[in-house]
Amino acid sequence: MNVILFGATGMIGRGVLRECLRDDTVESVLAVGRTPLAVTHPKLRELVQADVSDLPAPDLDLASYDACFFCLGVSSVGMKEDAYRRVTHDLTLAVARPLAAANPRLTFAYVSGEGTDSTERGRSMWARVKGRTENDLLELDFRAYMFRPGIVQPDRGIPSKTRLYRTAYALTAPLFPVLRRIAPNLVITTEAIGRAMIAVAGPGADAAAHGRVLRPRDINRIASGGRDQG
């Protein structure tokens, strides 16, 4: 399959990119972003542009893509709701709508967050915005999956772009082995997210076998080939 990937410079996006480049079922990856990746691979092509939602870009055939892995996101810390909505909901839908119009058979995997508010009426600003984003994606004419990771353990030394998160990961890194033993389905890895995205979008994927909102336990199960880990 041919994959279009947004957010490949972030922690989760880098993990997803790594799994796509390693997986034989992924024939090509187009990474769309504002900055170059500094990664070279025969399967990888980059589209660097200031407005990542500017689709279709010249010479970009949206109908030729089988999956979109949308890992682009920002922290809501210090942001007003209007600004957070523009870079979370509005940007995501600006990408998703032309993809759905070009190819209703496309699979769209969106990185949301555990605690997202599907009612859109809760107290948490980020959760409301993510909830609206999920709801609007699920109404589009393609197969959409909402990935709600909980505690994400970066694999292979992949760092977070956010300084606060980098500090938190450094301080809590010794706890990850303990957490994985006592609560294996609260902790997921960037590798597991990538493997699960490929699995739900890959050839022969059984849409009926998964819900459309995937929490840590679901992501771990799908990434491991359907084996329940706890």
Side-chain angles (χ1 to χ4, degrees), residues 167-190:
T167 302
Y169 284 126
L171 293 174
T172 59
L175 299 177
F176 278 117
V178 177
L179 285 172
R180 291 190 65 83
R181 283 198 301 271
I182 64 176
N185 286 294
L186 290 180
V187 180
I188 62 174
T189 64
T190 50

Side-chain angles (χ1 to χ4, degrees), residues 31-48:
V32 182
R34 298 184 183 93
T35 57
L37 292 175
V39 175
T40 302
H41 193 280
K43 294 199 293 188
L44 177 64
R45 183 164 71 95
E46 289 189 68
L47 176 61
V48 179

Side-chain angles (χ1 to χ4, degrees), residues 160 162-173:
S160 170
T162 304
R163 180 180 298 178
L164 175 63
Y165 293 167
R166 286 199 302 271
T167 302
Y169 284 126
L171 293 174
T172 59

Side-chain angles (χ1 to χ4, degrees), residues 106-121:
L106 178 133
T107 298
F108 193 96
Y110 173 64
V111 176
S112 184
E114 183 69 1
T116 291
D117 177 16
S118 297
T119 73
E120 306 178 35
R121 293 192 291 268

Side-chain angles (χ1 to χ4, degrees), residues 10 71-81 83-88 110-112 125-127 129-130 160-166:
C71 307
L72 190 64
V74 297
S75 169
S76 64
V77 176
M79 296 188 72
K80 299 292 187 182
E81 184 164 350
Y84 185 67
R85 184 174 58 248
R86 284 195 297 272
V87 297
T88 301
Y110 173 64
V111 176
S112 184
M125 180 273 283
W126 77 263
V129 174
K130 287 281 192 180
S160 170
K161 290 179 66 176
T162 304
R163 180 180 298 178
L164 175 63
Y165 293 167
R166 286 199 302 271

Side-chain angles (χ1 to χ4, degrees), residues 6-79:
F6 289 81
T9 59
M11 183 186 76
I12 291 177
R14 287 179 63 181
V16 172
L17 174 62
R18 179 178 182 274
E19 296 311 309
C20 286
L21 298 180
R22 297 175 64 214
D23 195 288
D24 291 339
T25 66
V26 178
E27 184 175 337
S28 69
V29 180
L30 173 66
V32 182
R34 298 184 183 93
T35 57
L37 292 175
V39 175
T40 302
H41 193 280
K43 294 199 293 188
L44 177 64
R45 183 164 71 95
E46 289 189 68
L47 176 61
V48 179
Q49 56 187 34
D51 183 0
V52 297
S53 68
D54 185 16
L55 299 177
D59 303 322
L60 179 57
D61 179 11
L62 296 182
S64 68
Y65 290 92
D66 306 292
C68 175
F69 299 155
F70 198 89
C71 307
L72 190 64
V74 297
S75 169
S76 64
V77 176
M79 296 188 72

